[in-house]
């Protein structure tokens, strides 16, 4: 089955552990997949044209999904496009979403966007709400093909339809520099509030002006500053870090 969707990236907002803040995610590249599902002895995924770095994440997701459904299904996933312009987290989010959609079609069901996001979240089983919301926002953006602001099931919205081209450079494992215990509740809460309110203000301005690049340029320095404080991440004018898969960051350039 041929499916079209988008790889997306979170370009405003960065996770602060054990908090629930909004993120703005935006499509970075349109992708074309061929996905086929069939019965087999044990759940596996056969990949074509996928980076090794993301295969294990997707395979673990597929195994957990089959276990939860008490199924033994194999999936063949072929990516027809080159990977330029996609992050690992964006590729994971869109692939796992389309695998679930394809599984629904296999069982003669059509899953809606909100159902896909909810069921993939359950399968991911990410304990930290900040990282769970990152994956949710990536999936929401991928499935709608729009920039989105996303905090949780009840607080989310589509913004503008735009492609934000990027160059993906690298993925790193994160090491938190400052914790709630070190900073105290008031300082930690203030940083959390600043990150969240800046993303919300950016979303309001996007609705009003529809000038994505201008809003991004105004509010990106806040995300960069707080990710520097919390995670020790260094950005410059053209290259910066975005949230990746849980406990990772991805460097992209524009």
């Amino acid at each position: 089955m041929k499916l079209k969707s988008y790889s997306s990236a979170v370009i405003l907002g960065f996770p602060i552990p054990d908090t629930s803040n909004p993120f703005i995610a935006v499509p970075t590249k349109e992708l074309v997949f061929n996905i086929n599902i069939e019965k087999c002895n044990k759940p596996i995924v056969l990949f074509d044209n996928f980076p090794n770095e993301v295969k294990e994440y997707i395979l673990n997701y597929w195994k957990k999904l089959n276990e939860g459904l008490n199924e033994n299904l194999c999936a063949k996933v072929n990516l027809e496009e080159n990977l330029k312009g996609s992050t690992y987290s964006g590729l994971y989010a869109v692939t796992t979403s389309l695998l679930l959609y394809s599984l629904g079609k296999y069982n003669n069901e059509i899953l809606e966007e909100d159902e896909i996001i909810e069921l993939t979240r359950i399968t991911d089983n990410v304990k930290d709400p900040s990282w769970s919301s990152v994956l949710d926002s990536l999936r929401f953006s991928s499935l709608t093909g729009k920039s989105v602001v996303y905090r949780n099931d009840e607080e989310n919205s589509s913004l503008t339809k735009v492609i934000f081209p990027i160059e993906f450079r690298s993925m790193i494992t994160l090491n938190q520099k400052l914790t709630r215990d070190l900073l105290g509740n008031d300082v930690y809460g203030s940083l959390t509030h600043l990150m969240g309110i800046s993303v919300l203000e950016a979303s309001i301005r996007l609705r009003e002006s529809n000038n994505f690049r201008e809003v991004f340029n105004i509010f990106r320095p806040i995300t960069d500053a707080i990710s520097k404080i919390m995670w020790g991440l260094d950005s410059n004018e053209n290259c910066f870090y975005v949230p990746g898969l849980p406990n990772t960051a991805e460097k992209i350039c524009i």
Side-chain angles (χ1 to χ4, degrees):
M1 176 169 53
K2 181 174 285 191
L3 297 167
K4 289 185 178 181
S5 192
Y6 297 85
S7 179
S8 295
V10 169
I11 49 83
L12 288 177
F14 208 94
I16 297 176
D18 298 316
T19 66
S20 180
N21 261 341
F23 300 93
I24 291 180
V26 61
T28 62
K29 182 180 178 64
E30 186 175 28
L31 297 175
V32 179
F33 294 80
N34 271 300
I35 298 179
N36 293 293
I37 295 174
E38 59 186 22
K39 283 281 188 180
C40 57
N41 293 327
K42 63 178 182 179
I44 61 170
V45 180
L46 300 176
F47 297 96
D48 187 15
N49 197 26
F50 267 75
N52 291 329
E53 291 83 354
V54 78
K55 289 180 181 178
E56 185 175 355
Y57 287 100
I58 297 172
L59 178 57
N60 287 338
Y61 165 89
W62 185 245
K63 287 179 177 177
K64 286 192 289 185
L65 184 59
N66 273 263
E67 182 180 352
L69 297 173
N70 195 28
E71 288 277 14
N72 281 309
L73 297 169
C74 293
K76 296 180 180 179
V77 184
N78 172 41
L79 181 60
E80 293 189 359
E81 305 291 324
N82 64 55
L83 298 175
K84 185 177 180 181
S86 297
T87 62
Y88 293 149
S89 59
L91 189 55
Y92 171 82
V94 64
T95 303
T96 50
S97 297
L98 294 183
L99 277 169
L100 182 60
Y101 176 82
S102 300
L103 180 58
K105 291 279 285 185
Y106 177 84
N107 290 311
N108 297 313
E109 296 179 24
I110 302 295
L111 296 175
E112 301 296 331
E113 293 162 3
D114 58 340
E115 293 176 302
I116 292 173
I117 292 171
E118 179 181 2
L119 291 172
T120 49
R121 184 193 311 119
I122 293 170
T123 306
D124 288 330
N125 195 28
V126 176
K127 301 301 183 184
D128 188 332
S130 62
W131 286 104
S132 180
S133 294
V134 167
L135 295 176
D136 284 357
S137 63
L138 290 172
R139 287 177 171 128
F140 189 25
S141 177
S142 293
L143 294 170
T144 61
K146 296 180 179 180
S147 63
V148 301
V149 56
Y150 192 101
R151 183 179 183 186
N152 54 44
D153 282 342
E154 298 178 353
E155 297 176 276
N156 61 77
S157 178
S158 298
L159 299 171
T160 59
K161 190 170 183 64
V162 61
I163 298 292
F164 191 72
I166 63 162
E167 179 185 347
F168 172 56
R169 289 289 181 87
S170 61
M171 178 178 72
I172 63 170
T173 300
L174 287 170
N175 179 27
Q176 189 177 357
K177 302 299 182 183
L178 295 176
T179 64
R180 188 185 295 272
D181 288 342
L182 284 172
L183 294 176
N185 285 330
D186 289 345
V187 176
Y188 199 84
S190 295
L191 290 171
T192 300
H193 180 69
L194 175 59
M195 181 72 87
I197 202 69
S198 70
V199 172
L200 290 176
E201 179 64 24
S203 70
I204 292 170
R205 295 196 188 188
L206 280 172
R207 289 191 184 94
E208 292 174 347
S209 70
N210 206 30
N211 190 329
F212 191 90
R213 182 70 65 159
E214 179 182 65
V215 173
F216 169 81
N217 288 336
I218 292 171
F219 289 96
R220 182 67 216 183
I222 299 176
T223 292
D224 288 340
I226 299 178
S227 61
K228 168 70 172 177
I229 293 170
M230 299 300 300
W231 301 103
L233 299 174
D234 290 312
S235 301
N236 58 41
E237 184 176 352
N238 295 317
C239 297
F240 52 91
Y241 284 96
V242 298
L245 293 161
N247 300 313
T248 72
E250 295 171 312
K251 191 173 189 177
I252 64 174
C253 300
I254 57 175

